[in-house]
Structure formats: structure tokens, C-alpha cells
Amino acid sequence: MERSILHLDMDAFYASVEQLDNPHLKGKPVIVGGSGDRSVVSTCSYEARQYGVHSAMPVFMAKKKCPQGIFLPARHKRYEEVSREIFGIFNQFTPLVEPLSIDEAFLDVTNHRLPPAVIAAELKERVLKDTGLTVSVGISYNKFLSKIASSWNKPDGLFTITPDMMPRILFPLKVDRVYGIGNKAAKKLNSLGIYHIRDLFALDRRRMEELFGKQGGEIYHRIRGIDNRPVISSRDVKSVGRETTLDRDTRDKSFIRKLLFEFCKEISMTLDQKNFYGKTVTVKLKTSSFRTMTRSKTLEGYIKDIHEIYEVADRIIRDIELKEDLRLIGVSVSNLTQHPVEQVSMFEDREYKKKKEIDRLVLDINRKLGDDILKFGIEL
Ligand code: TTP
Ligand code: MG
């Protein structure tokens, strides 16, 4: 059965919240970012985008492009508050809400009593009425296409991609719009003269696999409108983890720790993307003789910062005496929440620094309490 997937993405989220709270900023080029000239733009209003300002641009450059811009520091606590409110609205339409970031979600409305276009219109109206903000909505039969649809006529957009529009609607889009093609891959493709999905479409499956490895097949299908990834509601996400079977068995702790750091980096990025925080860090090891060991540590507070996750994973691994080589290593973060009671505000604002200090203290205390908190389990 064909699915009905909505993708919702708030328009110029941080900047729109600033305009909402300070109505005299409405219609003006508002740029939200770090305070120093060396920091980067988090986002900017559509008025500022006309001057070529965009997310991740250094602030000094944004000032050059748009000297009349109104530069504001980020107020993460406030954005988290609005985020909670909009997700509350999404959840009233269906429990199948998959958060992608602070202002973005997929909704699976396949079995909803109302048609998707009606739900989308009602959602837009509710968000505007309850929060004063606009959201762009994309409707399609899979995740990839609904995300493309939501960006089609932003801001305040509503657009549907139906199967008969495929694949031509994708042809003029740049290759980096395809889920699975990041900046690096896009640069590689550009160097081969492949700029648009139209060019990508000309490649056969074998060539795609040569270029993208295992993911090549998925990308080949995705640009042909096939994407079977399910919408996974935040309630169903129990943990975020990475693990790998090693090319060669080893008990070299410095190698193991390096690998764990890489995993923690990826986990932290995923947590950040999905706007999750976790409380429990688990390290999983499998020895050459196929014995599996898992060790977990549960903290008092929620974390998602790479260094904090690694600090716990590293502490666990340091305490393990390896009598055998390992064939598999993994780490995961569980006990997840999207909204920890003590709200974390990110980056440079004061609350965040305070919160980090508290988290460090908690880590320290946990470390002193040591193995009381360290749970130990062995599975076969
Ligand atoms: P986005 O949804 O990517 O951007 P946006 O909502 O500002 O604008 P639009 O969707 O209309 O294109 O990101 C949501 C928020 O996340 C954004 O308001 C600020 C923050 N953010 C950053 O802090 N840094 C970034 O590089 C990006 C892309 C977003
Ligand atoms: Mg947005």
C-alpha cells in the first residue's frame, strides 16, 4: 500500500522566534548566531537571505553582505520551549512522529481518517494559531520525497509530490539534496561533472556502487522514488549506537579507544540531529571466542556532547582487563529523552556553560562512587 508521509520544517526557526518575541523585527533582516566575529550564523530570516546570508556562514562575512542586518545571540532555551510546543501539536495528529531536529519531523499519516492534504492544512493552521509561526509541509509517499516537497516553496509552503511526477521533478535538483550524499560525496561527483540529479540518473547501479559503496544501491533507488525507510516515532527509539566487527582481532587499548571516540562522535551527532539526550552509556565487546561483554554506566544527568559520552565510554574500557583479543566493539547511549528536566541550552549562552559544569561535576561524583554505579553483564 502506498504510504502518506508528511515532512514538517519550521521556517527560519530561530529567527522567526526572535521576530515573534520582538514584533518590531518582523520584515527585517534578522541574523541569529554567535556573538564574536569568529562565530557562525545559526540561521537568518528570509529577508536576510536575500542578501546571500545563510546558516554556517561566518558572522563577519554576514556583516559584510548585510550591514543593515540585526545580529542577535541565540536563545536556545526559548527555541527548545517553542520546539516542545510544536511537537505537542504534531503529536495530537498522530503518535507516529519522528523528530529530525529541533524544528523538523516526519509524520506517517497513512492510516489517518483524513486525507494527507487536509491534515497538512490543519497542521499549518494549528501551528500558526497556537505559536504564531509558520511551518512548511511536504507530502509524499516516502521520506526522501516528502522532505524535498517541504522545501519546494518555503517559507509557509505546502507541496505534494505524487508518483506520476517521478523522476522528472528531481532532475533539476543538485546532487546534495539526495539523502545519503553529503558535502564530500557531492564534491567528488562535481569533480566528475555530475552536478544535478539528472546527471546522477544516467549512471547505472554498478557505477553507483563503485561511487558510494554499499549505499550506492539505496541512492540508485532513492532518485527513482523508492525509499522504504519507516517513520520511527521517538517513543520507539530506545538507543543510539554504533558497533563494528574488526578487520583483525585486537586487544590494543589505544586502538580500541580511538575507535570508541569515532563512535561517540557519530552518536553525539545523531543525538544532536534528533534532539535527544541520553543518560546511560553502554560499551559492548565480543572476544575472539565469541564471548560478549556489555558494561553500562548510568549518569545522574542527561548528556549528548561527544566528550561527555566518550569520557564515560573511556572510563568503562579502562576498567576492563582484556584477557583475549576482541573481534567486535560497540558503544551506545540509551535512556533517552527529548526534553530533560534541566533544560540544556547549547553553545555559548551562559546556562549551557553552567549545565556543562554541573554535568562534569556529576561525572566526577559518579567516578568517585565508581563501581557501585557500574553495572556489569555478560551474555553468551
Ligand atoms: P533549519 O530547519 O535547517 O533552518 P531554518 O528553520 O532556520 O530555515 P528553513 O528551514 O526555513 O530553511 O534549521 C533549524 C534551526 O537549527 C535553525 O533555525 C537554526 C539551527 N541551525 C543551526 O544552529 N546551525 C545550522 O547550520 C543550521 C542549518 C541550523
Ligand atoms: Mg527549518
Side-chain angles (χ1 to χ4, degrees), residues 4-242:
S4 297
I5 312 291
L6 306 187
H7 179 259
L8 297 101
D9 185 351
M10 302 298 288
D11 301 316
F13 186 48
Y14 293 3
S16 304
V17 174
E18 294 304 333
Q19 290 176 324
L20 178 76
D21 291 352
N22 308 287
H24 68 279
L25 298 177
K26 283 222 166 89
K28 300 208 171 124
V30 172
I31 298 159
V32 180
S35 39
D37 276 3
R38 289 177 59 198
S39 50
V40 293
V41 172
S42 298
T43 192
C44 59
S45 64
Y46 277 79
E47 293 82 1
R49 291 182 198 197
Q50 285 172 2
Y51 296 88
V53 180
H54 56 76
S55 295
M57 172 182 277
V59 168
F60 77 86
M61 204 185 278
K63 280 186 179 158
K64 262 190 211 151
K65 285 190 181 280
C66 184
Q68 68 275 53
I70 297 154
F71 289 80
L72 300 172
R75 292 185 300 143
H76 295 283
K77 216 169 171 174
R78 174 71 181 127
Y79 311 142
E80 292 273 358
E81 191 178 88
V82 180
S83 171
R84 262 200 299 278
E85 207 179 335
I86 56 171
F87 276 89
I89 298 171
F90 299 169
N91 274 295
Q92 283 170 22
F93 283 78
T94 172
L96 286 175
V97 176
E98 178 175 334
L100 290 177
S101 74
I102 191 164
D103 81 325
E104 219 182 310
F106 283 120
L107 270 62
D108 187 332
V109 293
T110 310
N111 295 316
H112 202 285
R113 65 190 166 83
L114 297 171
V118 174
I119 302 171
E122 279 190 16
L123 261 161
K124 283 173 69 70
E125 208 180 296
R126 270 292 303 282
V127 170
L128 184 63
K129 195 164 137 271
D130 292 4
T131 69
L133 299 170
T134 58
V135 59
S136 292
V137 185
I139 307 173
S140 198
Y141 53 98
N142 66 39
K143 281 181 165 181
F144 169 53
L145 296 176
S146 68
K147 192 165 159 104
I148 298 278
S150 74
S151 63
W152 206 261
N153 47 9
K154 244 181 180 297
D156 203 12
L158 175 57
F159 190 69
T160 305
I161 297 181
T162 50
D164 57 299
M165 292 157 120
M166 284 299 298
R168 304 187 71 83
I169 190 147
L170 299 179
F171 282 3
L173 302 179
K174 299 225 169 91
V175 287
D176 64 3
R177 298 291 301 278
V178 182
Y179 179 81
I181 302 184
N183 279 345
K184 235 161 105 185
K187 276 204 185 114
K188 182 169 151 191
L189 288 169
N190 292 168
S191 72
L192 298 168
I194 299 165
Y195 293 93
H196 296 99
I197 295 181
R198 178 187 290 106
D199 312 325
L200 209 52
F201 208 80
L203 307 179
D204 66 17
R205 202 180 152 159
R206 267 241 322 261
R207 181 79 180 116
M208 289 287 237
E209 280 165 357
E210 273 167 26
L211 287 169
F212 301 106
K214 266 189 260 166
Q215 261 213 318
E218 277 168 37
I219 293 173
Y220 177 86
H221 285 114
R222 210 159 276 156
I223 59 173
R224 286 164 174 78
I226 301 164
D227 174 12
N228 294 323
R229 287 173 298 151
V231 171
I232 301 168
S233 90
S234 52
R235 273 169 246 188
D236 294 330
V237 181
K238 299 285 179 246
S239 68
V240 174
R242 295 285 179 279

